[in-house]
């Protein structure tokens, strides 16, 4: 009866009350619609600061509702702006599958053994041949060339890490993430005033952005060096170089009650636990506190309860039971900073309960449903995938090779993790395939690369890390991942027709890595790298005397001169002296011999000035070192460290690599069309795919469009519902021309740096000039540099 008495007043409210409710609802809708996403800061090794909107869930809900209500109008608008059909368009849909690191020699051998029936069928139906890679043959370099169609001198990615000329420290080559420039400091509390700066460092333009400008839509899934995601006419999910919530490229945690003498992993990753009977309380380490730097890292409470043969995990109100040898599903872990929450996801793996307790925790991934950093374009794409498919790995290098290298994971636990991640990515791919009936779909799978890195010891009988009990009857992990790749391809071939162009590629091949070469140790012994006194050398050139140093090595392939006017404490004069020193070091490196067997590990040393073309050539290492099979730069040398010996056995599980000379380590190229031109290269894929959709490749691209048998199965060019995208606005160059005041020195530089030099636009050129001016400022004050350039009339 009470409910009946209330109902009339709800059904027939007074008019003033209705008006007030309407005004209040309108105000709420306005507030939510006007809200802007707040981005977190994640810097490699530095953590992040973050402000997440309190009502972000409701904002997403309202935006989704608005999209659903407005779709008829958008459909009509898209139909009115439908781009003109291209008579020279050769395919309706193109699909590019990247199997990172697939080795052509292994693929051919397994096909010959009848293990890869779908790849074999693709070879018979169309094409199989080696695919020329890049110098150096490293994933970030190669995939950047794939997406832009230019050499590294035009896209500016030369290795996984780059050196800072002012500090000599290594930095991530693909992205720069900086905290907000200004903070309000109130008694130990730092309140960010503004958003963090998230900047991608790969230059030039991906070919799918050009397709979008011409009205062809694309979905791009986990292509390396697409973080941070760039806006274009389509959707993307970032791959390699997406960080974890601690700001690293993958930092696991290891919970154990073992004594210190039995722990072999990094102490920073180890969390010592003590049981209080059958339970204990500990925490999951997260990012640094965004508002109170002195508070250290944020933590998420974790409770563990031990049973006879299982472990109960309680975190964030969720309870999971875990048996020995099992992984949990992805579990949400929020880190609270005042009224805000930073959301991540993790998985646990129980290695053993007795006699010692060993529990592995994956790196804390960015939660795709509540991303603290943009990991997709549009931002809601990752949210859509997470809501539809469930949580998934977002870390760029999600397969935890460090966990296996350091003995926290065993072979089977690592493979289980790899297969689970591969299954997640297949599910995302199938969803994308349903939405690309007309246009481009690109997806890169990492399984082949990660397993070959860690299990090449099974392939190489002479490898120092090969298990002694391994024999010809033991399971072959490499064969298994190639079978998985082939099975996936078989499902795809069943779902596409003759009007779809299919390319299956890899960025490079693989070879054994038996012996490590420390280039910095060699440079020190030859007098090129000097140290101060008798101090103990360490990572990142600790103890180096730069006033007496002429050359140093950093990364997997680079040797830099300590050049005067470029490096902070340069000693080598540019010009003739630098040329002589480059040639001297190159000749002496090629003569280097392994004392164990007399082999020469260095196959080639290339000078960047003659190997690259483009405006970013001077940012490359001065010398690029490539190796013969069996050799690679040492782990210590890659991080600027000197070891006791130049040569050492590689006893890590990471037993395969690809730092060889490019012509010795090509990738694979499969196609369902016959290839009519010889020797395809990664450089050629971007212009080939543009030509497939009837678009002339831009003049700055270094690659050439390959000749394929387009007549075979070529469908009629027609625009489906997924290509009705608004045509591009007038070219950016025209807009920039009105913004830039060209006079004096800028006029001369613009004349010198035309598109032929590799810039895709005047906007890119001006951005590069700004970066160089900023780099020259010791304080690095970008706003001050911008003001100076405006005062000179360079920028209006």
């Amino acid at each position: 009866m009470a409910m009946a008495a209330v109902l009339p007043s709800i059904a027939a409210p007074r008019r003033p009350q209705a008006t007030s409710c309407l005004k209040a609802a309108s105000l709420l809708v306005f507030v939510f619609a006007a809200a802007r996403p707040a981005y977190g800061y994640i810097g490699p090794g530095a953590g992040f600061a973050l402000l997440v909107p309190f009502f972000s869930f409701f904002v997403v809900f309202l935006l989704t509702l608005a999209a659903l209500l407005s779709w008829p109008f958008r459909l009509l608008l898209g139909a009115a702006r439908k781009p003109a059909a291209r008579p020279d368009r050769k395919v309706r849909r193109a699909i590019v599958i990247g199997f990172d690191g697939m080795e052509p020699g292994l693929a051919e051998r397994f096909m010959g053994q009848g293990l890869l029936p779908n790849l074999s069928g693709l070879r018979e139906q169309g094409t199989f041949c080696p695919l020329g890679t890049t110098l150096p043959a490293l994933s970030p370099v190669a995939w950047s060339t794939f997406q832009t169609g230019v050499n590294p001198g035009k896209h500016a990615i030369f290795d996984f890490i780059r050196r800072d000329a002012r500090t000599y420290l290594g930095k991530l080559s693909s992205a720069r993430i900086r905290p907000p420039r200004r903070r309000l400091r109130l008694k130990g509390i730092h309140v960010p005033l503004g958003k963090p700066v998230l900047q991608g460092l790969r230059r030039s333009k991906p070919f799918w952005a050009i397709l979008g400008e011409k009205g062809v839509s694309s979905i791009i899934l986990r292509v390396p060096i697409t973080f941070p995601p760039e806006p274009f006419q389509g959707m993307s999910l970032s791959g390699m170089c997406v960080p974890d919530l601690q700001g690293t490229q993958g930092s696991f945690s290891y919970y154990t009650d073992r004594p210190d003498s039995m722990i072999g992993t990094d102490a920073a990753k180890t969390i010592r636990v003590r049981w209080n009977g059958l339970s204990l309380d500990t925490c999951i380490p997260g990012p640094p506190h965004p508002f109170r730097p002195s508070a250290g890292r944020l933590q998420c409470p974790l409770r563990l309860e031990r049973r006879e043969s299982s472990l109960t995990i309680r975190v964030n109100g969720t309870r999971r039971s875990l048996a020995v040898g099992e992984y949990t599903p992805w579990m949400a872990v929020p880190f609270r900073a005042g009224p805000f929450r930073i959301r991540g996801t993790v998985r646990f793996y129980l290695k053993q309960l007795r006699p010692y307790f060993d529990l592995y925790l994956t790196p804390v991934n960015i939660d795709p449903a509540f991303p603290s950093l943009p990991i997709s374009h549009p931002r809601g794409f990752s949210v859509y995938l997470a809501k539809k498919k469930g949580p998934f790995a977002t870390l760029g290098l999600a397969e935890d090779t460090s966990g296996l290298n350091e003995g926290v994971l065993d072979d089977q636990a690592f493979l289980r993790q790899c297969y689970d991640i591969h299954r997640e990515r297949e599910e995302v791919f199938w969803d994308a395939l349903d939405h690309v009936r007309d246009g481009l779909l690109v997806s890169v799978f990492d399984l082949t690369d990660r397993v070959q890195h860690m299990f090449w010891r099974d392939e190489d009988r002479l490898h120092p890390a090969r298990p002694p009990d391994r024999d010809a009857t033991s399971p072959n992990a490499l064969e298994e991942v190639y079978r998985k790749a082939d099975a996936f391809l078989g499902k795809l071939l069943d779902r596409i027709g003759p009007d779809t162009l299919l390319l299956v590629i890899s960025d490079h091949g693989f070879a054994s890595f038996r012996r490590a070469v420390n280039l910095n140790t060699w440079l020190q012994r030859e007098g090129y790298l000097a140290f101060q006194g008798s101090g103990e050398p360490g990572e990142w050139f600790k103890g180096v005397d730069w006033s007496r140093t002429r050359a140093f090595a950093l990364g997997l392939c680079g040797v830099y001169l300590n050049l005067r006017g470029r490096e902070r404490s340069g000693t080598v004069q540019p010009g003739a002296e630098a040329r002589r020193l480059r040639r001297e070091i190159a000749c002496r490196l090629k003569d280097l011999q392994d004392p164990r067997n007399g082999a020469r590990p260095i196959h080639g040393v290339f000078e960047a000035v003659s190997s690259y073309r483009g405006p970013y050539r001077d940012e490359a290492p001065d010398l690029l070192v490539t190796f013969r099979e069996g050799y690679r730069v040492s782990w210590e040398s890659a991080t600027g460290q000197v070891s006791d010996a130049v040569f050492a056995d590689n006893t890590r599980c990471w037993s395969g690599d690809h730092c060889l000379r490019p012509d010795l380590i090509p990738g694979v190229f499969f196609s369902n069309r016959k290839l009519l031109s010889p020797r395809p290269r990664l450089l050629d894929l971007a212009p080939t795919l543009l030509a497939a959709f009837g678009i002339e490749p831009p003049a700055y691209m270094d690659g050439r469009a390959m000749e394929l048998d387009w007549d075979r199965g070529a469908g009629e060019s027609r625009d489906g519902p997924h290509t009705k995208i608004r045509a591009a606005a007038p070219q950016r160059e025209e807009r920039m021309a009105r913004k830039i005041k060209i006079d004096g020195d800028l006029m001369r530089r613009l004349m010198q740096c035309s598109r032929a030099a590799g810039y895709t636009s005047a906007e890119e050129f001006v951005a590069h000039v700004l970066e160089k001016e900023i780099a020259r400022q010791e304080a690095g004050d970008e706003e001050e540099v911008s003001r100076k350039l405006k005062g000179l009339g360079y920028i209006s």
Side-chain angles (χ1 to χ4, degrees):
M1 289 182 64
M3 180 63 68
V6 172
L7 284 176
S9 64
I10 297 177
R14 295 177 182 177
R15 186 174 301 275
Q17 291 177 336
T19 304
S20 300
C21 291
L22 181 61
K23 289 181 178 179
S26 301
L27 178 61
L28 285 175
V29 170
F30 172 77
V31 170
F32 294 148
R36 295 181 179 179
Y39 296 94
Y41 164 70
I42 301 180
F48 72 98
L50 174 67
L51 282 176
V52 179
F54 184 74
F55 296 107
S56 59
F57 173 79
F58 299 102
V59 173
V60 172
F61 172 77
L62 288 172
L63 291 176
T64 304
L65 182 62
L68 290 173
L69 294 176
S70 64
W71 76 264
F73 304 101
R74 291 185 285 110
L75 185 64
L76 291 174
L77 183 61
R81 294 175 172 174
K82 177 179 175 180
R86 298 182 176 276
D88 49 354
R89 181 170 173 174
K90 303 173 179 66
V91 296
R92 179 186 179 191
R93 179 173 63 175
I95 298 175
V96 181
I97 301 299
F99 290 125
D100 196 306
M102 181 173 275
E103 161 59 32
L106 276 186
E108 193 159 19
R109 190 179 89 197
F110 292 150
M111 285 190 291
Q113 295 172 355
L115 303 177
L116 310 177
N118 298 299
L119 284 170
S120 297
L122 198 57
R123 175 181 59 180
E124 298 302 319
Q125 172 191 0
T127 300
F128 165 63
C129 63
L131 181 66
T133 186
T134 53
L135 172 68
L138 300 177
S139 291
V141 187
W143 287 115
S144 295
T145 288
F146 157 74
Q147 60 185 281
T148 60
V150 301
N151 81 94
K154 294 179 182 178
H155 63 58
I157 302 296
F158 305 99
D159 203 326
F160 283 92
I161 57 177
R162 57 187 174 86
R163 66 88 175 80
D164 187 327
R166 291 175 295 175
T167 64
Y168 296 96
L169 298 178
K171 294 185 176 182
L172 193 66
S173 66
S174 60
R176 180 187 295 125
I177 312 175
R178 297 174 177 171
R181 297 188 60 81
R182 294 182 177 84
R183 290 171 177 263
L184 179 63
R185 292 174 170 82
L186 298 171
K187 295 183 179 181
I189 297 177
H190 295 185
V191 180
L193 300 177
K195 295 191 301 184
V197 179
L198 184 59
Q199 179 186 10
L201 300 179
R202 193 263 305 129
R203 304 307 185 204
S204 198
K205 182 185 293 187
F207 70 88
W208 49 79
I210 300 173
L211 286 174
E213 292 171 357
K214 304 299 183 182
V216 179
S217 66
S218 305
I219 296 182
I220 311 299
L221 301 175
R222 295 195 59 85
V223 174
I225 317 302
T226 53
F227 174 82
E230 298 172 295
F232 71 103
Q233 299 293 347
M235 295 181 287
S236 68
L237 183 66
S238 295
M240 178 186 289
C241 292
V242 173
D244 60 20
L245 277 191
Q246 294 188 10
T248 74
Q249 290 298 302
S251 295
F252 67 85
S253 297
Y254 171 49
Y255 300 83
T256 185
D257 58 5
R258 292 174 179 268
D260 291 341
S261 60
M262 298 181 64
I263 299 175
T265 189
D266 187 347
K269 301 175 182 177
T270 303
I271 299 175
R272 299 297 307 277
V273 298
R274 291 187 177 181
W275 292 94
N276 182 16
L278 295 177
S279 65
L280 66 86
D281 291 296
T282 181
C283 66
I284 298 172
H289 199 294
F291 309 126
R292 291 191 291 123
S294 60
R297 292 190 175 275
L298 299 174
Q299 297 177 347
C300 178
L302 171 65
R303 182 172 180 81
L304 304 176
E305 299 171 355
R306 183 165 53 180
R307 299 289 182 265
E308 183 64 29
S309 59
S310 65
L311 180 74
T312 299
I313 298 173
R314 297 179 184 270
V315 60
N316 189 33
T318 302
R319 180 177 180 272
R320 291 284 184 183
S321 182
L322 186 61
V324 174
E326 290 184 352
Y327 279 94
T328 64
W330 288 105
M331 301 179 70
V333 287
F335 299 93
R336 298 183 181 275
F340 304 104
R341 287 193 299 175
I342 304 162
R343 301 170 185 263
T345 57
V346 297
R347 295 181 73 192
F348 293 88
Y349 171 75
L350 182 57
K351 187 174 182 180
Q352 67 175 26
L353 277 171
R354 295 176 179 82
Y356 296 107
F357 171 70
D358 293 314
L359 179 68
Y360 162 85
L361 176 69
T362 64
V364 184
N365 283 230
I366 296 172
D367 188 341
F370 301 93
S372 57
L373 280 181
I375 59 173
S376 67
H377 170 74
R379 186 182 179 88
F381 184 43
S382 70
V383 179
Y384 157 78
L385 291 173
K387 297 301 182 183
K388 185 172 183 180
K389 301 294 182 182
F392 55 87
T394 58
L395 180 63
L397 299 172
E399 300 86 354
D400 196 354
T401 57
S402 295
L404 181 56
N405 264 338
E406 298 182 35
V408 176
L409 294 176
D410 57 26
D411 288 358
Q412 293 308 310
F414 176 77
L415 286 172
R416 168 73 183 279
Q417 184 186 85
C418 290
Y419 296 155
D420 288 348
I421 293 171
H422 182 73
R423 185 179 63 253
E424 292 172 0
R425 292 174 185 170
E426 281 194 5
E427 291 175 357
V428 171
F429 174 85
W430 297 127
D431 183 80
L433 183 65
D434 291 338
H435 291 83
V436 182
R437 301 184 184 93
D438 192 310
L440 173 71
L441 174 58
V442 182
S443 183
V444 174
F445 296 90
D446 300 321
L447 179 66
T448 41
D449 180 82
R450 305 300 186 267
V451 173
Q452 286 179 127
H453 272 305
M454 308 309 291
F455 288 89
W456 202 267
R457 50 198 162 99
D458 292 352
E459 181 72 15
D460 183 1
R461 296 179 180 274
L462 302 177
H463 201 284
R466 183 180 174 88
D469 57 347
R470 181 73 61 184
D471 56 37
T473 62
S474 300
N476 189 318
L478 304 189
E479 178 183 313
E480 179 64 21
V481 298
Y482 276 70
R483 282 174 172 268
K484 285 184 177 293
D486 188 78
F488 164 78
L489 186 62
K491 296 176 185 177
L492 176 58
L493 290 170
D494 290 340
R495 297 178 61 172
I496 62 174
D499 58 350
T500 295
L501 170 66
L502 174 63
L503 303 180
V504 179
I505 65 170
S506 66
D507 52 336
H508 51 68
F510 253 86
S512 184
F513 168 28
R514 305 185 198 100
R515 297 272 282 166
V517 183
N518 192 313
L519 296 178
N520 279 311
T521 301
W522 180 85
L523 289 168
Q524 182 200 28
R525 292 187 178 182
E526 298 299 320
Y528 299 110
L529 180 64
F531 282 83
Q532 300 170 346
S534 58
E536 185 69 21
E539 281 190 330
W540 309 118
F541 305 107
K542 178 184 176 183
V544 168
D545 184 351
W546 294 110
S547 66
R548 297 188 296 118
T549 290
R550 293 189 291 162
F552 58 97
L554 183 68
L556 295 179
C557 67
V559 173
Y560 296 86
L561 302 187
N562 193 20
L563 203 62
R564 188 171 299 165
R566 187 182 68 179
E567 271 70 21
R568 182 191 63 201
S569 304
T571 60
V572 179
Q573 190 67 31
E577 181 182 350
R579 287 193 295 272
R580 284 195 300 270
L581 184 58
R582 286 198 303 265
R583 291 167 186 168
E584 176 185 319
I585 294 175
C587 290
R588 296 180 70 179
L589 274 175
K590 285 187 282 189
D591 289 337
L592 178 65
Q593 287 186 306
D594 186 345
R596 171 177 293 180
N597 52 25
R600 299 181 187 273
I602 309 298
H603 194 286
V605 181
F606 300 86
E607 295 187 32
V609 293
S610 57
S611 300
Y612 297 139
R613 304 176 306 281
Y616 305 103
R617 181 177 62 182
D618 59 347
E619 299 177 15
D622 295 285
L623 296 173
L624 298 119
V625 182
T626 61
F627 294 85
R628 297 183 189 276
E629 184 176 0
Y631 292 89
R632 201 206 74 173
V633 72
S634 71
W635 303 98
E636 296 82 4
S637 182
T639 57
Q641 191 173 352
V642 170
S643 54
D644 295 334
V646 175
F647 291 90
D649 279 340
N650 173 34
T651 57
R652 298 194 183 193
C653 293
W654 187 292
S655 50
D657 220 290
H658 39 83
C659 293
L660 279 64
R661 203 167 108 164
D663 56 344
L664 302 178
I665 201 79
V668 300
F669 178 83
F670 289 89
S671 175
N672 62 350
R673 301 291 199 276
K674 293 288 186 183
L675 178 65
L676 305 178
S677 56
R679 296 185 296 277
R681 306 168 297 169
L682 276 168
L683 269 173
D684 302 328
L685 291 172
T688 300
L689 288 160
L690 289 175
F693 288 97
I695 298 170
E696 182 71 21
Y700 66 80
M701 282 190 174
D702 299 314
R704 62 179 186 274
M706 293 182 282
E707 295 182 33
L708 296 171
D709 184 4
W710 298 113
D711 293 334
R712 185 223 157 269
E716 178 186 353
S717 176
R718 55 189 182 273
D719 295 306
H722 299 278
T723 60
K724 295 173 181 176
I725 298 175
R726 180 169 57 88
Q731 293 295 316
R732 288 183 177 180
E733 292 81 354
E734 297 176 6
R735 297 197 303 269
M736 287 300 299
R738 293 192 296 268
K739 296 179 181 179
I740 302 173
K741 191 182 296 182
I742 302 176
D743 60 1
D745 182 62
L746 188 60
M747 166 65 95
R748 291 190 293 274
R749 298 190 69 174
L750 275 173
M751 295 298 291
Q752 295 168 358
C753 301
S754 62
R755 282 195 174 192
Y759 290 108
T760 61
S761 64
E763 182 180 8
E764 183 186 354
F765 165 74
V766 172
H768 192 201
V769 173
L770 262 176
E771 288 177 0
K772 287 193 171 185
E773 294 299 327
I774 291 166
R776 293 191 182 101
Q777 304 296 315
E778 292 184 356
D781 190 340
E782 296 179 34
E783 293 183 358
E784 180 63 22
V785 173
S786 296
R787 285 195 294 270
K788 288 182 179 179
L789 290 176
K790 287 180 181 178
L792 294 172
Y794 289 155
I795 301 177
S796 60

